[in-house]
Amino acid sequence: MNIKLLTLATAVAVSAAVAQDYDDEYEESTSTEASTEATQEESEPEPAPVATAPQVAPQPMPVYQEPAPAEQPAAAPAQGGLNVLHGNAYNQVSNEAAAATIGGDMKAVYKMNGRKLVYVEPSNQYGALALGSGSMTYLLAFDNSEDLGMLTAGIAMKSFGIALDVALDKEWRSNEVNTAKNKNTNDRRTAGQGDIIQLRLGALLGGVDLTAQLYWLTYQDETDTETDNGVKVEHDEDYWKLGANVAVSNGPSAKSLAWSFGAQFYRHTDWQKDSQGNQSREVTGDDAYIHIEPFFNLGTPVFQSENANVFVGLNTYLPVRIFDEIEEGEGNATTTNNRMSFGLYTSPNILGEMAINENWIVFAGASYLWNVFSRRSTEIETSATKTTDDTSIITMHTYATQANAGVRFQYSHLIVEASIADDLGSDAWAGLVGNLGVFFTF
């Protein structure tokens, strides 16, 4: 009995010792592992620093974030930011470096490629539609030429665009009276002021764009008549302009300096011709001339931040006008009048804009026209007295400053822009004019 009891006590003691030894080893092992992990966590190298923002203290592992949405293309500007498409209320000072406008892109034609929008400008009675299909955008616009409605239709591709403007006011009237002895006819053709046909082209050539316009415009009502009552009598009037404009711009690749240069040319007629039988007489009016005008424009930002821009610019042109020679009298009593004018004009301008938030942009600008130098000359020769009378007028003049301010609101696909402008040389608000444009982008 004692032997059994002794044996049982011995077994219990041995088991307790083994269990205690196992617990000690487990605690030691656990403590060692925890210490090792702590040591590894403290000595683990930091993530590689970002090149644009080096770390100065250990940072936790980054939390996964959804990737930022891709930047919207210029054809469908997103809310916020300043490089967006504006209505014609914006940049009334014509700064070369400013953001795009509907009017400017419609003039270049190809820049409308990819745009899907409806634009209406009730202040100037203008509307435009652009709808894209694949690589081609179709354009339709309604405007005014003098008091006539003008239709614009065109297509814009990635690097080329073409558009046609047409406003019509023509009438042909014919009357014929037959009697037993003779036949009388009377024909009349009338073209109204503002009657125009214009072809516009725009092309992207590497880092520059080329724009051109060719047009025929009736600037004053003209009527041509022809009667035949045994003797044919005609009266013809010419009050039209035939012109062309060409410009090159670095707008597609401009960085800190934007520029454009080109020239416009037109023939301005003021003639009347009368003929009866084999005799005819042509009269040249005071408003018949050839006009040539080279121009050069510059624009650059002088301040830029994430939500604000300030631009300065200089638009310069050099018009030359050569008038038709006017002769009065006959024979030795003839008087000949020759006139011409030329000058250098420049328009300094400033334009500022600020994004208040993702929905609102405020903009304002000011400019004035400086007649740096101009000269008008008139030479009158009288054959009867063999005298010459020369008159020359030289002018330098700075015209009154023009200022404007406006606001742009965008919410989703709706955009509203409005501006007001006033002649700072006039009485308060006396020269106030406004512009309002509304458009939808798709």
Side-chain angles (χ1 to χ4, degrees), residues 163-415:
L164 180 67
D165 304 319
V166 178
L168 296 175
D169 185 9
K170 298 182 184 296
E171 181 183 80
W172 294 267
R173 178 176 296 187
S174 179
N175 177 257
E176 181 177 306
V177 178
N178 291 308
T179 66
K181 296 183 178 181
N182 57 18
K183 179 176 69 172
N184 299 329
T185 63
N186 184 294
D187 297 318
R188 183 172 67 179
R189 180 189 66 84
T190 302
Q193 179 179 348
D195 184 278
I196 188 174
I197 181 168
Q198 177 174 244
L199 182 66
R200 290 185 282 123
L201 303 172
L204 177 63
L205 305 174
V208 301
D209 61 35
L210 171 69
T211 60
Q213 295 99 40
L214 177 65
Y215 62 90
W216 177 291
L217 168 69
T218 301
Y219 69 89
Q220 179 180 315
D221 292 348
E222 62 178 31
T223 302
D224 299 333
T225 60
E226 179 181 319
T227 61
D228 191 346
N229 188 15
V231 177
K232 192 173 183 179
V233 178
E234 295 181 61
H235 174 77
D236 296 329
E237 298 176 353
D238 289 305
Y239 303 124
W240 47 258
K241 289 171 63 178
L242 174 62
N245 304 329
V246 180
V248 177
S249 167
N250 76 330
S253 60
K255 300 299 182 182
S256 59
L257 179 66
W259 52 259
S260 68
F261 69 90
Q264 66 166 318
F265 165 87
Y266 60 85
R267 178 66 165 114
H268 196 277
T269 63
D270 182 5
W271 300 331
Q272 292 189 25
K273 182 179 180 180
D274 292 290
S275 61
Q276 182 173 346
N278 295 326
Q279 296 181 342
S280 63
R281 176 174 178 267
E282 185 173 307
V283 178
T284 300
D286 293 338
D287 214 16
Y289 56 84
I290 293 174
H291 184 95
I292 304 171
E293 185 178 305
F295 64 86
F296 186 73
N297 302 327
L298 294 172
T300 186
V302 293
F303 173 80
Q304 288 185 302
S305 67
E306 184 178 356
N307 64 342
N309 286 326
V310 177
F311 302 101
V312 297
L314 194 66
N315 301 336
T316 304
Y317 58 99
L318 299 88
V320 177
R321 187 168 291 185
I322 304 171
F323 290 84
D324 289 17
E325 183 178 81
I326 299 176
E327 289 188 356
E328 296 179 344
E330 296 181 355
N332 293 331
T334 301
T335 300
T336 305
N337 188 327
N338 289 286
R339 296 171 296 151
M340 76 167 297
S341 67
F342 65 91
L344 172 63
Y345 296 80
T346 190
S347 179
N349 61 79
I350 56 174
L351 174 66
E353 57 185 354
M354 177 176 291
I356 305 301
N357 53 38
E358 65 178 8
N359 301 110
W360 293 92
I361 295 177
V362 179
F363 51 86
S367 67
Y368 72 92
L369 178 62
W370 178 16
N371 176 358
V372 180
F373 174 86
S374 65
R375 182 179 184 271
R376 292 175 292 162
S377 63
T378 302
E379 180 184 88
I380 300 175
E381 296 180 357
T382 305
S383 58
T385 59
K386 299 184 182 300
T387 60
T388 302
D389 184 355
D390 290 334
T391 301
S392 176
I393 301 174
I394 297 176
T395 303
M396 300 179 68
H397 188 77
T398 54
Y399 295 85
T401 298
Q402 304 287 324
N404 67 88
V407 63
R408 168 193 171 95
F409 171 77
Q410 176 170 347
Y411 180 78
S412 186
H413 299 288
L414 168 66
I415 302 169

Side-chain angles (χ1 to χ4, degrees), residues 56-68:
V56 296
Q59 300 292 328
M61 294 296 290
V63 179
Y64 175 78
Q65 296 179 348
E66 291 292 335

Side-chain angles (χ1 to χ4, degrees), residues 8-21:
L8 181 60
T10 303
V12 172
V14 171
S15 298
V18 172
Q20 180 65 36
D21 183 65

